[in-house]
Amino acid sequence: MKLKWMLLCLSLFAAVIGVVRAQDDIDVDEEMIVSEDQVMIETDGDEPNIEEVEPTDADTYLLFTKPVFEEKASIELPAGRLSEFLVGFTNKGSEDLVLETLDASLRYPMDFNFHIQNFSTITIDKTIPPGSQATLGYAFIPADAFAGRPFGLSINLAYRDNEGKQVISKLYNDTVNIIEVEEGLDGETLFLYLLMAAACVLLLVGGQQFLYSVGKKRVGGGLPSRARSNLETGTKSSKQIDMDWVPKNVINHLNKQKAQSPKQKRAKKIE
Amino acid sequence: MYSFKSIVLIALICTSLCISSQSSDEPQARLLVSKQVLNKLLVQDSDILVKYTIYNVGSVPAINVILQDSGFPDEAFATVKGNLNIQFTRIPVGANVTHAVVIKPLTYGRFNFSAAVVQYKSSENSVEPQLAISSEPGEGYIISYAEYDKKFSPHLLDWFAFAIMSLPAVVAPFVMWWISKSKYELILKQKREKVSKD
């Protein structure tokens, strides 16, 4: 009985240790796969070399805050609108890390070396002591022209350790969809409708004019005689003019002027 | 019996040690703190809205979260509404908390909006508080009120002065027209009276 119990306990113990070991292995494998950290080493030439290194002391986290996505959902960014994300940075090591720059860019999805749109690189220059955390904010606007197409989004965080070794951490390096924002009423469609309404009104007016002229030709066949006699002739016949409202002195003045009009004067002189 | 007990005890201690060595992987809260200045225009003696948002992206709730912002010195800023030091007892997993403060700059010029400091317990068992700093809104230029007024005031006094200055050019022709009109109307009136008498 005792022996049985002892065996059971020992086997349990062994199993627990085995499970723990296995978990360790998995963790290590995952880290090896996930880590895409690269180190830039300054060489004699102008072009810096990029080398793969083992996981560093930094732990990063990327969170899109505008627009909001569910975890592990594909990222869709609205074109021409502000997109914001936060980067969490934890220094897990025992030495200071200095955050240098954070930048983002849209790449051609078939070839990530081909830049489509570069967003500004922000300089942080902040020292993170061991065990401490920091949050970085970044906002960008994908260009309007890229709506409705997939692009590679690349977000890079550069930091260096105490020895000056620079590490570029790729926070995001995957294809995202740039979506077009559906608006209820934008200027373009508004003016299109306005133009259509104006065209309709113009058509109606033209039609009315056409119908009017056709109708007149059929019915009248020219102006009737009565209409001709009632034609407005202005002040041709001066007898009809009512001069009562004009003050007397003005009438006298006018008469005087009439009598001495320059034409008459000239005629008199010639005579 | 004694040996059996001791073996079981040793086994238990061993397993507990094994598990405790895994403590670095124990679930922890993780906070992302953003600090944003919501104003587009920073004006002396006008309100500035500062928004702090705390996201818990970890796997356990964050406890005793203390947010402290010492980035607004008393000689340069007055707090209009809200508190620059605030404590949240618990932020659940996947939740976010927003805190807003209204401040008023007393002077003008360049100002660097620096990061706020957050302290929290990343799990129930953790002894030492986790230190974190928020995102930085960065440098902003606070314009003086006179400068702001020059750009955005409705210029009421200026328009009033303009109206007074343009008054003679409008009133003089009107007065001349009014005089002649009243002259003719007087004649018409006299005539009508004559007709009615007749």
Side-chain angles (χ1 to χ4, degrees):
Chain A
M1 189 66 190
K2 264 185 198 172
L3 202 75
K4 260 188 187 171
W5 268 105
M6 256 164 71
L7 272 173
L8 201 76
C9 279
L10 273 173
S11 62
L12 204 84
F13 175 57
V16 163
I17 287 174
V19 164
V20 166
R21 281 274 162 77
Q23 269 181 353
D24 266 350
D25 287 347
I26 289 164
D27 282 351
V28 167
D29 281 347
E30 273 181 351
E31 269 172 21
M32 293 295 274
I33 293 162
V34 166
S35 72
E36 283 178 313
D37 291 355
Q38 290 171 327
V39 159
M40 285 178 84
I41 297 165
E42 290 292 333
T43 51
D44 295 335
D46 290 335
E47 292 244 328
N49 273 345
I50 294 172
E51 279 184 11
E52 291 280 336
V53 288
E54 56 269 30
T56 54
D57 295 334
D59 180 28
T60 54
Y61 191 96
L62 183 76
L63 178 75
F64 267 89
T65 53
K66 192 180 182 179
V68 179
F69 304 105
E70 280 180 33
E71 222 171 308
K72 278 163 190 164
S74 65
I75 289 180
E76 289 182 333
L77 304 175
R81 295 291 170 88
L82 196 73
S83 297
E84 290 175 354
F85 62 79
L86 292 177
V87 175
F89 184 89
T90 310
N91 185 355
K92 294 189 297 185
S94 52
E95 283 183 357
D96 284 0
L97 289 175
V98 183
L99 293 174
E100 284 181 329
T101 56
L102 176 65
D103 68 281
S105 54
L106 287 181
R107 313 281 180 96
Y108 187 60
M110 303 295 165
D111 180 8
F112 268 63
N113 293 320
F114 198 85
H115 290 239
I116 301 284
Q117 190 183 12
N118 273 323
F119 303 113
S120 39
T121 303
I122 53 168
T123 311
I124 308 155
D125 229 13
K126 188 169 263 182
T127 308
I128 309 300
S132 199
Q133 291 183 333
T135 307
L136 311 167
Y138 193 92
F140 63 98
I141 302 173
D144 259 329
F146 302 147
R149 279 194 285 167
F151 283 101
L153 175 66
S154 172
I155 303 169
N156 298 316
L157 175 69
Y159 58 91
R160 63 167 192 269
D161 58 12
N162 253 1
E163 297 158 15
K165 192 172 73 175
Q166 198 189 30
V167 181
I168 292 178
S169 171
K170 286 191 171 167
L171 301 173
Y172 195 86
N173 201 19
D174 210 344
T175 310
V176 295
N177 278 318
I178 310 292
I179 52 168
E180 200 171 351
V181 185
E182 295 288 335
E183 276 180 39
L185 192 72
D186 62 340
E188 211 173 314
T189 45
L190 183 83
F191 278 104
L192 188 73
Y193 283 130
L194 210 69
L195 197 74
M196 276 162 73
C200 282
V201 169
L202 201 72
L203 257 167
L204 280 172
V205 169
Q208 194 215 15
Q209 288 287 328
F210 176 72
L211 285 175
Y212 187 68
S213 63
V214 164
K216 221 157 60 175
K217 254 180 210 167
R218 283 235 177 105
V219 173
L223 283 169
S225 55
R226 205 175 56 188
R228 212 175 286 167
S229 71
N230 280 345
L231 274 177
E232 175 64 48
T233 51
T235 53
K236 224 181 214 172
S237 52
S238 54
K239 280 171 193 170
Q240 285 176 354
I241 304 171
D242 179 19
M243 298 288 267
D244 286 350
W245 63 280
V246 186
K248 281 238 171 78
N249 57 341
V250 176
I251 289 175
N252 290 340
H253 185 71
L254 274 174
N255 283 341
K256 226 182 254 173
Q257 271 202 328
K258 224 181 213 174
Q260 294 178 343
S261 75
K263 255 187 189 172
Q264 283 180 340
K265 269 185 194 171
R266 209 177 289 162
K268 272 179 190 172
K269 268 184 189 174
I270 288 163
E271 276 172 15
Chain B
M1 190 65 192
Y2 181 75
S3 64
F4 165 68
K5 261 190 183 169
S6 64
I7 282 169
V8 169
L9 208 73
I10 287 163
L12 278 173
I13 288 165
C14 278
T15 45
S16 69
L17 270 176
C18 271
I19 287 161
S20 69
S21 72
Q22 293 279 303
S23 66
S24 62
D25 282 345
E26 90 176 57
Q28 280 190 325
R30 178 160 196 180
L31 298 187
L32 299 184
V33 189
S34 95
K35 174 181 172 180
Q36 284 172 303
V37 175
L38 298 183
N39 291 47
K40 275 192 176 155
L41 213 65
L42 308 171
V43 186
Q44 181 192 2
D45 287 329
S46 300
D47 292 352
I48 292 176
L49 189 61
V50 185
K51 190 178 91 171
Y52 305 91
T53 317
I54 306 176
Y55 301 84
N56 186 1
V57 294
S59 43
V60 292
I63 301 152
N64 274 337
V65 183
I66 302 167
L67 178 93
Q68 283 179 312
D69 195 350
S70 47
F72 300 112
D74 283 341
E75 64 267 20
F77 288 94
T79 312
V80 179
K81 198 123 192 166
N83 223 327
L84 288 172
N85 301 320
I86 193 148
Q87 183 171 5
F88 305 101
T89 41
R90 204 175 174 88
I91 298 175
V93 179
N96 57 0
V97 180
T98 309
H99 176 64
V101 180
V102 180
I103 52 161
K104 192 191 268 184
L106 303 173
T107 54
Y108 62 92
R110 292 218 156 269
F111 184 76
N112 188 21
F113 290 92
S114 58
V117 180
V118 173
Q119 279 183 38
Y120 64 98
K121 271 168 88 175
S122 54
S123 66
E124 295 270 6
N125 310 323
S126 63
V127 186
E128 278 193 20
Q130 172 72 54
L131 272 173
I133 53 170
S134 75
S135 63
E136 275 184 12
E139 207 168 79
Y141 185 69
I142 299 166
I143 60 172
S144 67
Y145 188 76
E147 203 177 327
Y148 171 77
D149 200 44
K150 211 159 74 184
K151 279 179 185 165
F152 297 100
S153 80
H155 297 284
L156 284 175
L157 202 73
D158 302 17
W159 279 111
F160 185 67
F162 174 73
I164 286 176
M165 284 195 288
S166 60
L167 210 59
V170 179
V171 168
F174 174 76
V175 167
M176 284 170 77
W177 171 79
W178 184 258
I179 288 166
S180 78
K181 180 183 172 260
S182 52
K183 200 166 88 183
Y184 286 115
E185 271 179 349
L186 200 72
I187 291 161
L188 211 67
K189 215 179 181 182
Q190 281 170 356
K191 201 175 182 183
R192 250 182 227 149
E193 275 170 7
K194 215 187 259 176
V195 169
S196 60
K197 270 178 189 172
D198 290 342

